Every structure is written in structure tokens, then in C-alpha cells.
Amino acid sequence: MDGTLVIEEYIDDGEEYSVEVLTTNGRHEVLAITTKEVVMPYFIEAGHLLPAPLKMEDREAIQETVCSLLTSIGHLEGPSSYGEAYRTLSSLTHDTVAIKFGIWFG
């Protein structure tokens, strides 16, 4: 460890989703968005619903956020998964936040 500290904002509203993407020649295709059922206060995953029941505008916002992140890191080929993508829908925010993702090479 190099002593780097990462501090993240706590997100306490909105729904949690997982997003599966396949990238070919720099083109990102979202294959699935899944709603996660999370038991609080310990964030235990109790179930998943596929496909996630989303309005088209929310689905597009999640896709845009995830694909923009992949483009920004230069991901050109292969699958990726976003284990935690939040779509906050409170009266104060209406935003998508990508929290954790993994990319598979090979």
C-alpha cells in the first residue's frame, strides 16, 4: 500500500443496480441492468430482479453513466460489470453514481 486514502460520499437514497456491459472495438453495449434487493443496515444482497423495472429515462441515464466511465478509462475490449450503480431519485438529486466496477481482460 502506498498510503493513499479514498474517501467516498455515503449515498443513502435511491435504488441499487448491477450493470453488465460488453465492449467491442470501443463500443459499449449494456447487456443487462439488474435491481438489487439489499437488506439494511448491513447491505446484505437478498435478491436480484432482471430486467430492472426502470423508466426509459432512468435506464438511459444508468447506461450513459456506465458507458462514459468505460470510455474515460480507455476500455476498448471485453466484458465489465458494475456491482453497485445507484440511481438517486430524491427531490434534491436525480443522478446516477457508479460505485464499484470490474473489468475482465483476456
Side-chain angles (χ1 to χ4, degrees):
M1 298 279 302
D2 63 3
T4 301
L5 177 65
V6 176
I7 300 174
E8 298 177 342
E9 176 184 356
Y10 178 71
I11 299 172
D12 64 352
D13 69 336
E15 295 292 323
E16 181 178 346
Y17 302 95
S18 61
V19 184
E20 309 305 320
V21 182
L22 182 62
T23 302
T24 307
N25 296 321
R27 186 177 155 273
H28 314 296
E29 182 178 351
V30 174
L31 303 175
I33 301 175
T34 305
T35 303
K36 290 182 164 188
E37 180 184 342
V38 180
V39 178
M40 299 305 274
Y42 302 109
F43 300 95
I44 298 169
E45 292 183 21
H48 296 82
L49 181 59
L50 177 68
L54 289 163
K55 292 186 226 173
M56 186 56 73
E57 67 187 50
D58 294 327
R59 181 175 304 282
E60 289 172 353
I62 290 170
Q63 290 175 311
E64 172 66 27
T65 298
V66 168
C67 292
S68 292
L69 179 57
L70 286 169
T71 298
S72 73
I73 64 169
H75 184 59
L76 299 175
E77 295 289 336
S80 58
S81 177
Y82 292 78
E84 298 172 14
Y86 289 87
R87 180 74 175 149
T88 60
L89 303 172
S90 71
S91 58
L92 299 175
T93 62
H94 196 92
D95 200 7
T96 303
V97 181
I99 303 289
K100 176 179 74 175
F101 68 97
I103 294 176
W104 290 267
F105 298 99

